[in-house]
Structures are given as C-alpha cells and as structure tokens.
C-alpha cells in the first residue's frame, strides 16, 4: 500500500518490525527482501509518489517534481552540482538507465583502504545476478544508439580507442529520450516498477511525503525514527511522523543518510558519520557537427569509451567517456560564454554533440550540517584529480574532432571554440584552476557512512550495521566503502539486498 502524506489528514504514529527510510536503489530492494520474509515493514519516502501518466516530459515541471532542489543541489561552495532524485523510486526514476556489474578492482581497493571483510565479489554475486534479472539489464541494441552516441563511437573508432555498448535496465524502450524526467511509457525498470511494487505486494506500508529528521535510540539500540509529513511541494508541513521499530534501515541518500545520523547525535566512535564522502566527478565537452544531431532524441547514453578506465581490466588514468544527450533547458545551462557567443552556441543546439566523462575520484570530502540542520557536502580535489579533470575534457574534445566536429568547446577553458587537434593541449591547460569556474557535476555519491573493518575507519561493520547502535543499518550508497569507477545503481541494489538478507538471517537465528 502506497500512501501519500496529503491523504493522511493528520499525524502518523505506527509500529513495525522494520522501518526503511528511502525508496531508491538502496531502500527499495532492502524493503522488498524484508517484507517478502513476512516482516511488518514501513517504508518512508521524502519525495512524492508519481506514476507514468504524470511524467509529462515538461523539463521544468519534472525537474521540480522529481529532483532534489529542482536539480540545483550543490556542494557547500557551489562548485559541484549534485544530481539526485527525490520521489518514490529515488534517483532510479531520473537516471540514464546505465547498468554495470561491480568491478573486481573495487573490492580489492575497499579491503585495502578500510579493512572491510565479508564484502567480496563472490558474496555479492548472487545478489548482483538477482538484481540484473529483476531490472532487465541488457546491452544496448543498435536501435538504441542515437546520433549523438554514434558520433562518439565514430570518433573512438577513428582513434583506435576501446568502445563498448552499455547495458541499460529497460523493457521495450521507445527511444523517447526522456530518461531524466521520468519514463512516460514505463520502459525504464526503475525501483518504481520493480522493487517498490514487490515490497508493496509483500505487505509493506509505503508512505510518500515522509521526511525523517532523526533516529530514535534507547539503551544503545535503534527503536525507530521521527520526522514530519510534507506535501508534494516538499515544504508544506502536514503533520508529525513517528515509527517505532527495532530495525532501522537508512537509505535516504549519501547526503541525507549522514544528515539523519548527525541530527540524531550518532557520529560514530571515530566521528565517522559524514566522513569519507566520495563521488564520481562528471566532466563534459561538446562540439558542433556539420549535420544535425538532435541529441535529445533516443537513448541519452548507450556507448562507453573504456580506453581511459582503470577498472574491468583496463589500466588507464581512471575515467569512462559516455555519450550524453541533454534537452534544451539543460543545454542552456551548460553552454559556455556570455552575450553573442553564448547566443550563437545556443542557436546551434540541433548540431551539438556532447559526452561526459565519469571520473573515479581519489579525493575525499565530508558531509556536515548547516546551522539550520541541513546536510551539505564539502569537497575539494587532490592534484591528481585536478589533472584528471583536464585530461578527461581533453579526450572528449579529441574524440569530437576525430568524428568530424567543426568546433569543440572545453568548459572552463579561457579558449573559445577550437577546431584543430593542435589546439587541444593549450585549451585543456587553459581550464581555469578554480573549480567554481569549471563545469563539474556528480550523480554518483558514495561512502558517507561507510562499511569498514573497524569503527575508526567507517560508521558500519561489513553487515551494514552501525558499530555503536544495534539495529541501525545503512543500506544505500552511503555504506559503500568508496567509489566504483562505473555507474553504481546495480551495485547499490545488490549491497542493499545483501545487508537485508543478513538482517533476516540474523533475526531467524536470534
């Protein structure tokens, strides 16, 4: 049963065997596993409940409905845009459908960095396989490689670079290109269509418009959560919220999960709540082709250039280039320059081709609370990552030129559009050193309440349970010990299933 706060007409005060906070890639699979074993489960989602008929494709409307802060969430200094969903289904409703199995290299790094045990490729494999089937992940077919992605495939082939089709979690995709705004034909197999219905069918009570402020703790054990009910606008208070349960699973997102912990006074023995925050930085470059590209049509992302990856057996510097189709509102915000040069580029939208690079950052930041109690990320780059940002933009530009682009723009560079490969090095070196003047974003956030082998290195143990608060589990990307180097939704779902399965096994044994 999915209930919206606006339909409750008052406070919510209930009890359950378990409460799950969040319905995205972490919360929905965890809730389904718990509910399907017969547990009385309450699921709380801060965002609204929207279905395919409400996904209108209107860019500004859907950004306000489905995205945190309407797509304008950023780090504390405003330099890095953080792209996160806020609705039943979470970011899986508004992502690009990309599905990668976790690289073996990630598990090795995590063990070396944090001492985490029990989180291995072998132990996760059955959960990965189950998730892969449930969300129908399969490699993109030729019919799903639109003109924009084909430009980058051509450029990569001309340069002799390693390029592969990416897997996407879709069924009968109609190539509408509306992935960022909710799929109006239910092709995207997000949590909204997969694990949320499974939890619902198993008897879970799912509440939309339910904002959790803090975890309730008694005698060192989690006993529930409290917060408030809000309208679909995310602001209008409709009542108080209180759920009593001996098992609390946090999957509120990599900012809000540690935000809840910090507001609850649960900082961890090593002050680890909010520490070790990490991202995949997304950089981009774009160019103008002689022929129209219409990059907003078709699957936005379907091919990956693996030449520079440092995972899945590759030995590159650490980024993947993925074709990226954006719509007019996003385009108008991404185009570089002012005045007439800006206007000239905007008018050439139909001829534009764009890709982004997914960097495996080495940098670490943290999540803290503002004076008003809001979670905010603080993040800066190591010299190594600053060099990687420049290199990734340079390589995207190189690929565009190899594909026949007449002009290429490297965001943040003091150079305007370039047209020759001889200009690439200077344009890349001309990127402004201040990250606030670069074009940086991330949709992949990690590790703000991570699993580790000791309480000094992470908030949770390898089962996802807080070291110092029994019954409190972290089941979203906050729990991952670090970033992956590939798009993370499959890994997040699999880890959530693994943690939830462990909760069930322990409960049966106890």
């Amino acid at each position: 049963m999915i209930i919206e706060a606006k339909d409750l007409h008052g406070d919510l005060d209930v009890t359950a065997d378990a409460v799950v906070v969040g319905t995205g890639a972490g919360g929905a699979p965890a809730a389904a596993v718990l509910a399907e074993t017969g547990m009385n489960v309450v699921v709380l989602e801060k965002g609204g409940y929207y279905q395919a008929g409400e996904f209108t494709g209107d860019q500004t409307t859907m950004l306000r409905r489905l995205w945190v802060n309407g797509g304008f969430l950023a780090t504390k200094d405003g330099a890095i845009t953080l792209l996160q969903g806020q609705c039943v289904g979470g970011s899986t409703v508004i992502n690009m459908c990309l599905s990668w199995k976790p690289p073996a290299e990630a598990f090795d790094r995590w063990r070396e960095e944090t001492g985490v045990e029990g989180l291995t490729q072998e132990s996760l494999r059955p959960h990965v396989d189950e998730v892969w089937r449930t969300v129908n992940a399969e490699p993109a077919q030729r019919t799903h490689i639109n003109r924009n992605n084909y430009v980058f495939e051509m450029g990569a082939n001309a340069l002799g670079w390693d390029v592969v089709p990416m897997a996407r979690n879709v069924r009968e995709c109609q190539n509408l290109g509306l992935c960022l705004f909710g799929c109006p034909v239910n092709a995207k197999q997000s949590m909204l269509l997969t694990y949320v219905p499974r939890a619902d069918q198993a008897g879970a009570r799912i509440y939309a418009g339910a904002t959790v402020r803090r975890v309730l703790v008694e005698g060192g054990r989690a006993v529930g959560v409290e917060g408030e009910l809000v309208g679909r606008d995310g602001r209008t208070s409709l009542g108080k919220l209180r759920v009593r349960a001996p098992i609390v699973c946090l999957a509120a997102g990599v900012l809000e999960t540690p935000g809840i912990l910090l507001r609850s006074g649960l900082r961890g023995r090593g002050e680890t709540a909010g520490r070790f925050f990490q991202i995949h930085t997304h950089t981009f470059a774009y160019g103008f082709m002689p022929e129209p590209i219409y990059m907003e049509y078709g699957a936005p992302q379907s091919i990956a250039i693996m030449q520079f990856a440092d995972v899945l057996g590759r030995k590159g510097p650490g980024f993947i280039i993925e074709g990226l189709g954006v719509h007019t509102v996003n385009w108008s915000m991404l185009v570089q320059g002012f005045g007439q040069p800006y206007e000239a580029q905007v008018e050439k939208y139909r001829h534009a081709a764009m890709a982004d690079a997914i960097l495996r950052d080495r940098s670490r930041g943290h999540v803290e609370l503002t004076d008003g109690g809001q979670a905010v990320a603080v993040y800066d780059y190591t010299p190594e990552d600053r060099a990687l940002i420049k290199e990734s933009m340079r390589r995207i530009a190189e690929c565009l030129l190899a594909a026949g682009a007449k002009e290429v723009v490297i965001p943040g560079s003091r150079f305007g559009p370039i047209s020759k490969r001889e200009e690439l090095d200077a344009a890349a070196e001309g990127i402004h050193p201040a990250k606030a003047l670069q074009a940086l974003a991330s949709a992949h956030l990690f590790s703000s309440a991570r699993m580790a082998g000791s309480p000094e290195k992470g908030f949770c143990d390898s089962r996802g349970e807080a070291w110092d608060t029994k019954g409190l589990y972290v089941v979203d990307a906050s729990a991952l010990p670090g970033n992956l180097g590939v798009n993370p939704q499959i890994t997040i779902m699999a880890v959530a299933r693994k943690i939830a399965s462990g909760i069930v096994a322990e409960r049966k044994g106890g």
Side-chain angles (χ1 to χ4, degrees), residues 190-230:
S190 70
M191 300 301 93
L192 182 64
L193 296 182
T194 54
Y195 285 108
V196 168
R198 279 178 54 172
D200 183 17
Q201 292 161 12
R205 290 170 286 168
I206 303 165
Y207 297 93
T211 300
V212 172
R213 296 293 297 171
R214 68 187 186 98
V215 177
L216 302 174
V217 180
E218 295 176 1
R221 292 195 62 91
V223 296
V225 298
E226 66 178 15
E228 66 175 331
L229 304 173
V230 296

Side-chain angles (χ1 to χ4, degrees), residues 46-127:
K46 181 178 182 179
Y49 175 46
Y50 300 97
Q51 301 181 72
E54 297 172 277
F55 298 150
T56 65
D58 181 82
Q59 298 166 61
T60 53
T61 299
M62 301 321 297
L63 285 168
R64 288 195 300 268
R65 282 183 179 175
L66 305 178
W67 292 64
V68 176
N69 284 8
F72 287 97
L73 182 69
T75 50
K76 187 176 182 178
D77 60 7
I80 307 171
T81 301
L82 304 176
L83 307 171
Q84 301 286 280
Q86 185 172 289
C87 56
V88 174
S91 295
T92 70
V93 173
I94 50 89
N95 70 15
M96 298 286 203
C97 310
L98 302 184
S99 303
W100 295 80
K101 294 184 178 181
E105 295 90 342
F107 298 96
D108 296 336
R109 286 197 312 271
W110 293 348
R111 186 171 57 254
E112 291 172 6
E113 292 174 7
T114 73
V116 66
E117 298 291 342
L119 183 61
T120 65
Q121 192 172 36
E122 292 73 25
S123 68
L124 202 59
R125 183 173 290 114
H127 301 286

Side-chain angles (χ1 to χ4, degrees), residues 383-429:
E384 184 179 16
D385 281 347
R386 290 179 184 274
L388 203 60
I389 288 169
K390 290 184 177 182
E391 174 68 2
S392 65
M393 291 187 189
R394 180 190 181 281
R395 293 299 189 175
I396 298 172
E398 182 180 6
C399 191
L400 280 162
L401 290 172
K406 297 302 183 184
E407 291 182 324
V408 173
V409 176
I410 295 180
S413 176
R414 68 176 183 271
F415 286 82
I418 62 173
S419 58
K420 300 176 183 178
R421 293 175 70 176
E422 293 78 14
E423 300 172 316
L424 277 172
D425 289 342
E429 286 305 312

Side-chain angles (χ1 to χ4, degrees), residues 54-397:
E54 297 172 277
F55 298 150
T56 65
D58 181 82
Q59 298 166 61
T60 53
T61 299
M62 301 321 297
L63 285 168
R64 288 195 300 268
R65 282 183 179 175
L66 305 178
W67 292 64
V68 176
N69 284 8
F72 287 97
L73 182 69
T75 50
K76 187 176 182 178
D77 60 7
I80 307 171
T81 301
L82 304 176
L83 307 171
Q84 301 286 280
Q86 185 172 289
C87 56
V88 174
S91 295
T92 70
V93 173
I94 50 89
N95 70 15
M96 298 286 203
C97 310
L98 302 184
S99 303
W100 295 80
K101 294 184 178 181
E105 295 90 342
F107 298 96
D108 296 336
R109 286 197 312 271
W110 293 348
R111 186 171 57 254
E112 291 172 6
E113 292 174 7
T114 73
V116 66
E117 298 291 342
L119 183 61
T120 65
Q121 192 172 36
E122 292 73 25
S123 68
L124 202 59
R125 183 173 290 114
H127 301 286
V128 171
D129 292 343
E130 198 279 339
V131 166
W132 199 261
R133 291 190 298 269
T134 297
V135 302
N136 201 54
E138 56 184 19
Q141 304 301 307
R142 294 305 303 180
T143 54
H144 296 145
I145 298 177
N146 68 359
R147 292 181 66 87
N148 184 65
N149 281 266
Y150 183 59
V151 164
F152 288 94
E153 185 180 49
M154 286 194 304
N157 287 336
L159 294 165
W161 293 352
D162 180 14
V163 58
V164 300
M166 289 188 285
R168 303 172 65 236
N169 59 309
V170 297
R171 291 184 189 274
E172 300 180 357
C173 177
Q174 302 300 303
N175 285 334
L176 299 179
L178 295 171
C179 298
L180 292 174
F181 311 113
C183 182
V185 294
N186 280 340
K188 183 192 298 186
Q189 300 301 291
S190 70
M191 300 301 93
L192 182 64
L193 296 182
T194 54
Y195 285 108
V196 168
R198 279 178 54 172
D200 183 17
Q201 292 161 12
R205 290 170 286 168
I206 303 165
Y207 297 93
T211 300
V212 172
R213 296 293 297 171
R214 68 187 186 98
V215 177
L216 302 174
V217 180
E218 295 176 1
R221 292 195 62 91
V223 296
V225 298
E226 66 178 15
E228 66 175 331
L229 304 173
V230 296
R232 274 190 162 191
D233 61 6
R235 298 184 298 275
T236 305
S237 180
L238 301 177
K240 296 179 181 179
L241 161 69
R242 186 182 182 93
V243 180
R244 299 281 297 190
I247 295 171
V248 176
C249 296
L250 294 183
V254 176
L255 297 187
E256 190 57 18
T257 285
I260 292 170
L261 296 174
L262 293 171
R263 289 194 296 268
S264 307
L266 300 174
R267 297 182 173 275
R269 200 181 311 172
E271 297 287 313
T272 50
R275 285 182 63 195
F276 308 114
F277 171 72
Q278 196 168 42
I279 65 176
H280 289 158
T281 295
H282 306 344
T283 65
F284 73 97
Y286 59 89
F288 300 102
M289 304 299 292
E291 71 283 358
I293 299 300
Y294 303 108
M295 65 176 167
E296 74 271 33
Y297 295 116
Q301 294 186 300
S302 54
I303 64 102
I305 298 170
M306 301 297 293
Q307 187 73 19
F308 310 102
D310 64 348
V311 293
L312 301 173
R314 276 76 171 188
K315 302 298 181 183
F319 60 88
I320 298 173
I321 297 173
E322 300 175 348
L324 174 65
V326 299
H327 288 248
T328 51
V329 169
N330 303 93
W331 173 249
S332 66
M333 294 187 291
L334 295 174
V335 169
Q336 302 292 290
F338 301 93
Q340 195 280 327
Y342 171 85
E343 182 179 356
Q345 292 182 64
V346 169
E347 289 178 347
K348 291 188 287 187
Y349 170 63
R350 299 301 183 201
H351 288 256
M354 178 183 291
D356 66 348
I358 309 301
L359 279 59
R360 189 180 71 76
D361 295 31
R362 278 65 167 176
S363 308
R364 294 274 185 175
H366 69 274
V367 177
E368 63 185 29
L369 296 180
T370 66
D371 291 341
Q374 299 300 308
V376 62
V378 178
Y379 199 78
D380 204 356
Y381 290 107
T382 64
E384 184 179 16
D385 281 347
R386 290 179 184 274
L388 203 60
I389 288 169
K390 290 184 177 182
E391 174 68 2
S392 65
M393 291 187 189
R394 180 190 181 281
R395 293 299 189 175
I396 298 172

